[in-house]
């Protein structure tokens, strides 16, 4: 089944403790992206990747890192999480070009 | 920067009625897409309309695009309780392309049996 898989689904952590949210897709998509969703603000793009080793900032990249060493994986790294990064995070992928995004089921992160 | 803004923010209707949601955006676009989200789950793509198209249909969905007014509407006909969800428009601006798809804040639709 074609899918984007995020892990974990829920994560509670403390300020400053490094964490990684994994994202993997099995559709051989070149393009992958991370979004965060907050009430009243919709989805905002954090980082995106056009292909392996090619990443770029979205609208809200501060406090986040990404890497794209393999085509299928696009982890989101929070080196020193802060409470304002408490949010619902989504990973998405698509074929290079004009095709729609396929989303993962989300990771709900709470930073205390 | 927020590109798409949906209207209304929330909509409550009865089963069988039609639901219309509107989206306005600010800059010239390559295409506009509509997505659906069930209660905190991942978004699911519904329909894509290109800037040179004015109307598109998919099952009970009808999307219109007016590039002169920078607006789009999503019509769901004969709504069902299962249509209860949040609906988002997303735009791919001409100057940034598909890689920076920008989402609006969404319309929450409640369809009561």
């Amino acid at each position: 089944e074609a899918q984007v898989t995020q892990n974990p689904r829920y994560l509670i952590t403390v300020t400053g403790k490094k964490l990684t949210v994994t994202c993997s897709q099995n559709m051989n998509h070149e393009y992958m992206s991370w979004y965060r969703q907050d009430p009243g603000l919709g989805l905002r793009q954090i980082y995106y990747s056009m292909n392996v080793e090619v990443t770029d900032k979205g609208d809200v990249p501060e406090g986040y890192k990404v890497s794209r060493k393999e085509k299928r994986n696009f982890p989101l790294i929070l080196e020193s999480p802060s409470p304002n990064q408490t949010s619902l995070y989504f990973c998405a992928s698509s074929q290079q070009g004009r095709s729609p995004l396929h989303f993962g089921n989300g990771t709900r992160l709470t930073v205390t | 920067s927020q590109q798409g803004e949906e209207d209304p923010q929330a909509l409550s209707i009865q089963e069988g009625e039609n639901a219309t949601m509107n989206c306005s955006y600010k800059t010239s676009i390559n295409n506009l897409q509509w997505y659906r989200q069930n209660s905190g789950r991942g978004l699911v793509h519904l329909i894509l309309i290109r800037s040179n198209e004015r109307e598109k249909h998919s099952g009970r969905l009808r999307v219109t695009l007016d590039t002169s007014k920078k607006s789009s509407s999503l019509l769901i006909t004969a709504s069902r309780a299962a249509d209860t969800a949040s609906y988002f428009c997303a735009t791919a601006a001409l100057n940034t392309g598909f890689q920076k798809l920008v989402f609006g804040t969404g319309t929450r639709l409640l369809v009561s049996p």
Side-chain angles (χ1 to χ4, degrees):
Chain A
E1 180 189 351
Q3 59 185 2
V4 177
T5 303
Q6 290 180 233
N7 280 299
R9 185 83 172 88
Y10 299 93
L11 180 58
I12 301 174
T13 190
V14 296
T15 298
K17 186 176 181 181
K18 181 179 178 180
L19 65 91
T20 299
V21 183
T22 63
C23 174
S24 180
Q25 50 91 7
N26 63 359
M27 295 167 280
N28 202 35
H29 285 167
E30 290 89 358
Y31 175 84
M32 298 185 76
S33 182
W34 276 102
Y35 288 86
R36 62 177 286 174
Q37 184 177 27
D38 301 288
L41 296 176
L43 278 83
R44 294 178 292 168
Q45 190 180 44
I46 303 171
Y47 270 95
Y48 65 94
S49 170
M50 301 288 280
N51 214 323
V52 175
E53 303 291 2
V54 181
T55 63
D56 208 346
K57 296 177 181 179
D59 292 322
V60 288
E62 296 77 20
Y64 305 95
K65 284 175 58 178
V66 293
S67 69
R68 188 90 182 273
K69 293 183 169 56
E70 304 165 282
K71 198 172 189 179
R72 63 183 293 124
N73 296 323
F74 191 44
L76 179 69
I77 303 155
L78 284 72
E79 295 269 3
S80 182
S82 62
N84 65 11
Q85 293 179 298
T86 292
S87 188
L88 179 57
Y89 291 86
F90 289 101
C91 179
S93 73
S94 74
Q95 283 285 14
Q96 200 77 290
R98 311 293 176 248
S99 63
L101 289 172
H102 295 255
F103 280 82
N105 277 328
T107 295
R108 188 169 292 280
L109 172 65
T110 302
V111 183
T112 61
Chain B
S1 60
Q2 210 67 29
Q3 171 82 310
E5 297 292 337
E6 286 90 342
D7 170 60
Q9 289 187 333
L11 180 60
S12 184
I13 60 174
Q14 301 290 316
E15 264 191 330
E17 295 179 339
N18 295 341
T20 299
M21 290 158 264
N22 302 296
C23 170
S24 60
Y25 57 91
K26 295 176 183 171
T27 63
S28 297
I29 60 171
N30 181 289
N31 66 65
L32 185 145
Q33 302 174 38
W34 285 91
Y35 287 80
R36 164 196 169 124
Q37 182 183 35
N38 284 66
S39 189
R41 307 292 289 184
L43 281 71
V44 174
H45 179 260
L46 295 176
I47 197 165
L48 180 153
I49 186 165
R50 293 183 168 77
S51 59
N52 61 352
E53 297 175 310
R54 291 296 166 259
E55 187 170 312
K56 204 161 182 181
H57 297 256
S58 177
R60 294 184 295 111
L61 305 181
R62 173 178 169 252
V63 169
T64 61
L65 179 65
D66 187 335
T67 53
S68 66
K69 294 182 180 177
K70 293 187 169 57
S71 67
S72 173
S73 68
L74 171 67
L75 168 67
I76 304 174
T77 59
S79 296
R80 306 165 181 167
D83 294 327
T84 294
S86 291
Y87 293 82
F88 295 86
C89 68
T91 49
L94 273 179
N95 61 339
T96 55
F98 75 94
Q99 60 265 33
K100 301 196 81 171
L101 198 63
V102 178
F103 287 81
T105 51
T107 292
R108 293 189 312 279
L109 173 65
L110 173 63
V111 183
S112 301

